[in-house]
Amino acid sequence: KNSDYFPYDSKTMFLLNTLDNLARLCVSNSLMRVFLLVLKECGGRDVPSFDRLCAVQKTLHASCGVPTVPCESAFGNVFYLNDPWTIVVQVDWANPAICKFLRVYPKIPEDGVIREVWHAAKWRCTMSLDLLSPMFDAGGRHFYVNEVAELQDGRKVIPLRWVTFKGNVYADAMLVETRPQVCHLLRGTISVRSNQIHHPARMPNPKCEIAGGDPLYTSFVDYFGDDVSGNHSKSWNKHYNAYMTHQNLPRKLLQQEFHVHFISSSPNASIPEQYVEFKAVVEYGIYFLCFCTREPVRVCDALTKETTCFSIVPHGGPSDNPMQSEICGHIGAKGNYPCRKCEVGGTQATKRENDGFHALFEAENPRSKEAILAKLEKQVRLACHGVAKPIGESQTASGIKDTYTQHWIQYLLGHFYEIKSSPQNTKSDADIERELVQWTINNRDLIYNSFLTTKGFDSTKDTPVEILHTILLGIVKYIWHGSHTRLP
């Protein structure tokens, strides 16, 4: 066997399999048999039979392919999910052509211009420090955040965030002081110059033990979806497709089709339903545990040839505007409060007035996922009362109506009526309400939109405005139409 083409038997097998899997050039079984016949007649080396080629492809798919996991949403819709861990491992970390482009730390651009995601404020300032890459590998010596490190001049610091500047790695850190010995059991105590008085309780960093001596980094991914047609014809056959991109890569690569990864699709399960399963896989992996062996998930770094651990953290949601509105729990652009990012808007009567109309062009109080989640909790609590009217009034007055949570609101309203109208019912309205409230507490993770409970992802801030429908098919289209339409 030629090791240069492992796990293929030979170079010929590698080329034939590549030819048979070209995305834009489908090869039928009959045509592949013709290729094999021509190769044999021309004296080609290591030409396999058609059955042998199929057997190798089946083996490779089982051992090296991306696993597809069957899933069932809380609404009973069945769909299939491609494993995001395998995608990130095989396509990026274990790929020597791609691994060299991965960036694991925020970067301070020398000219101050933001060109990549790691230049922006989210990585450098606002993101939770627990989600960023926690360690720096200094030639086999691993320095973790939230642990005391000694500088070359003898001073001691606690790194909080690793950053790069002019090709070197630096740390945002807090300076620490050591006091003389105060107890025969301790060599010294640490006093942190910060209002975080409980910081020493976070030492040592628990991720150090989880990594087991291997480097440990964070991979950020953008998850986005849209409704598309499943037909080649003009007949509309609605499917919800979900995709993922690896944000540790530069933009020039993310614009390539190779780096847009298909995750799942369903004609019935909405994007919030599909995201529940994606989030479960990703968050379980944050602890670097396999579902079966409970061992750390590791990958061979294509550059260093060393074992490396990494976590996956959802980073952004670059869907189109209607889908971004849906994952935010927003009522939509036709509501009284049409913006998912701020609370601009009002009643139709207010917007007809001069002040109300001009206010639409100014930003109001920004929304946040915490505020949206609080409003949804209020709506769910109202549903436990068994009356629908206050819920509709709350949704109209706030602009918050989550399609995923709305299913459970309708369930609670129906269940309240079902219990109350039962001939065997002996409970008062207050007893039924307490029972339903307790059910919502016990099933909190099931009721609310998973986009609103994802660590490190705020759907009101991390869903960039989509240019196509907002500008090109919005303002530009109507200006073009108005300037090219003949007046009557």
Side-chain angles (χ1 to χ4, degrees):
K1 293 183 179 181
N2 192 336
S3 60
D4 292 339
Y5 294 95
F6 179 83
Y8 298 94
D9 297 340
S10 63
K11 181 178 180 180
T12 304
M13 185 71 75
F14 161 70
L15 293 175
L16 288 171
N17 184 62
T18 302
L19 177 64
D20 198 28
N21 287 279
L22 295 176
R24 301 298 182 187
L25 183 62
C26 297
V27 178
S28 65
N29 290 346
S30 300
L31 185 58
M32 179 57 71
R33 293 178 188 272
V34 173
F35 289 160
L36 295 175
L37 176 63
V38 171
L39 288 173
K40 289 180 180 179
E41 293 296 327
C42 294
R45 298 176 53 185
D46 303 320
V47 180
S49 65
F50 180 76
D51 291 341
R52 172 60 180 166
L53 174 62
C54 293
V56 170
Q57 289 178 329
K58 185 176 181 179
T59 302
L60 289 174
H61 180 75
S63 60
C64 306
V66 177
T68 301
V69 183
C71 303
E72 183 176 355
S73 73
F75 302 166
N77 295 317
V78 177
F79 62 97
Y80 292 83
L81 179 80
N82 288 338
D83 180 30
W85 286 94
T86 304
I87 293 174
V88 174
V89 167
Q90 293 185 357
V91 177
D92 299 329
W93 281 100
N95 187 342
I98 304 301
C99 185
K100 60 185 177 182
F101 294 105
L102 290 174
R103 298 293 180 265
V104 296
Y105 302 125
K107 181 179 180 180
I108 302 175
E110 299 179 30
D111 55 5
V113 178
I114 297 176
R115 298 183 179 87
E116 304 289 352
V117 66
W118 48 81
H119 294 159
K122 182 173 181 178
W123 281 37
R124 290 171 51 193
C125 304
T126 62
M127 182 179 291
S128 172
L129 300 178
D130 293 330
L131 299 179
L132 293 169
S133 294
M135 56 80 66
F136 170 64
D137 186 358
R141 300 175 62 189
H142 297 172
F143 294 89
Y144 278 80
V145 296
N146 298 330
E147 291 186 352
V148 177
E150 185 174 2
L151 303 179
Q152 292 182 349
D153 60 7
R155 291 182 299 168
K156 294 178 175 59
V157 297
I158 299 178
L160 301 178
R161 178 193 294 108
W162 303 106
V163 297
T164 58
F165 181 65
K166 294 184 178 181
N168 297 318
V169 179
Y170 298 87
D172 291 337
M174 295 188 298
L175 186 65
V176 302
E177 295 177 344
T178 56
R179 297 176 180 175
Q181 181 174 345
V182 295
C183 176
H184 67 281
L185 297 177
L186 300 174
R187 294 183 178 179
T189 59
I190 297 175
S191 175
V192 180
R193 288 181 179 175
S194 170
N195 56 5
Q196 302 181 32
I197 58 176
H198 299 293
H199 198 95
R202 306 176 67 181
M203 305 178 195
N205 193 318
K207 293 182 179 180
C208 181
E209 181 179 356
I210 294 174
D214 292 326
L216 180 58
Y217 304 110
T218 300
S219 284
F220 295 98
V221 298
D222 276 2
Y223 179 95
F224 56 98
D226 197 6
D227 53 319
V228 300
S229 177
N231 289 352
H232 290 290
S233 65
K234 293 183 179 180
S235 177
W236 181 252
N237 183 12
K238 191 174 184 177
H239 282 66
Y240 296 100
N241 287 2
Y243 309 89
M244 179 188 77
T245 56
H246 192 181
Q247 291 300 303
N248 293 50
L249 293 172
R251 289 192 304 157
K252 66 178 182 180
L253 294 184
L254 296 180
Q255 299 299 321
Q256 301 174 10
E257 184 179 357
F258 179 77
H259 293 285
V260 179
H261 308 295
F262 174 75
I263 297 297
S264 58
S265 178
S266 173
N268 302 311
S270 64
I271 293 300
E273 289 180 70
Q274 297 181 43
Y275 182 75
V276 171
E277 299 299 330
F278 178 85
K279 177 175 178 281
V281 173
V282 166
E283 288 197 342
Y284 199 91
I286 285 179
Y287 301 98
F288 317 103
L289 300 177
C290 265
F291 289 100
C292 303
T293 62
R294 297 190 65 83
E295 292 293 331
V297 175
R298 306 179 189 276
V299 58
C300 179
D301 191 310
L303 292 183
T304 64
K305 307 301 181 183
E306 297 179 352
T307 304
T308 300
C309 294
F310 68 95
S311 64
I312 295 179
V313 175
H315 180 268
S319 305
D320 63 0
N321 287 329
M323 186 56 65
Q324 289 177 333
S325 182
E326 181 175 346
I327 69 175
C328 286
H330 182 241
I331 199 170
K334 295 183 179 181
N336 286 344
Y337 295 85
C339 182
R340 70 175 184 274
K341 290 184 172 292
C342 74
E343 297 177 349
V344 66
T347 64
Q348 295 299 319
T350 300
K351 288 186 285 187
R352 290 191 187 100
E353 298 175 356
N354 289 336
D355 293 340
F357 177 77
H358 289 294
L360 295 175
F361 299 90
E362 300 291 338
E364 294 291 341
N365 296 329
R367 297 186 187 272
S368 66
K369 68 175 185 180
E370 292 81 11
I372 291 177
L373 197 56
K375 288 183 173 64
L376 291 176
E377 290 173 348
K378 180 181 177 181
Q379 294 175 17
V380 170
R381 182 62 184 265
L382 290 173
C384 295
H385 295 178
V387 183
K389 184 177 179 181
I391 302 173
E393 293 174 348
S394 174
Q395 293 171 345
T396 302
S398 64
I400 301 302
K401 183 180 180 180
D402 184 65
T403 56
Y404 183 86
T405 304
Q406 187 66 22
H407 169 87
W408 298 109
I409 290 176
Q410 296 299 329
Y411 168 81
L412 291 169
L413 292 171
H415 198 53
F416 184 98
Y417 177 78
E418 181 181 349
I419 296 176
K420 185 176 180 178
S421 60
S422 174
Q424 293 80 23
N425 177 49
T426 59
K427 300 177 181 178
S428 65
D429 289 358
D431 291 336
I432 299 175
E433 179 185 343
R434 280 193 294 269
E435 179 182 332
L436 295 180
V437 168
Q438 186 59 47
W439 184 88
T440 61
I441 295 174
N442 297 338
N443 295 273
R444 177 181 174 82
D445 294 339
L446 179 68
I447 295 175
Y448 297 105
N449 188 340
S450 291
F451 284 101
L452 300 174
T453 59
T454 300
K455 297 179 180 178
F457 175 75
D458 188 339
S459 55
T460 64
K461 300 179 177 63
D462 299 328
T463 51
V465 175
E466 187 234 341
I467 302 300
L468 175 61
H469 288 82
T470 307
I471 305 298
L472 300 181
L473 297 180
I475 300 172
V476 173
K477 181 182 73 173
Y478 290 111
I479 291 177
W480 183 92
H481 180 269
S483 60
H484 288 73
T485 301
R486 182 176 298 177
L487 296 177

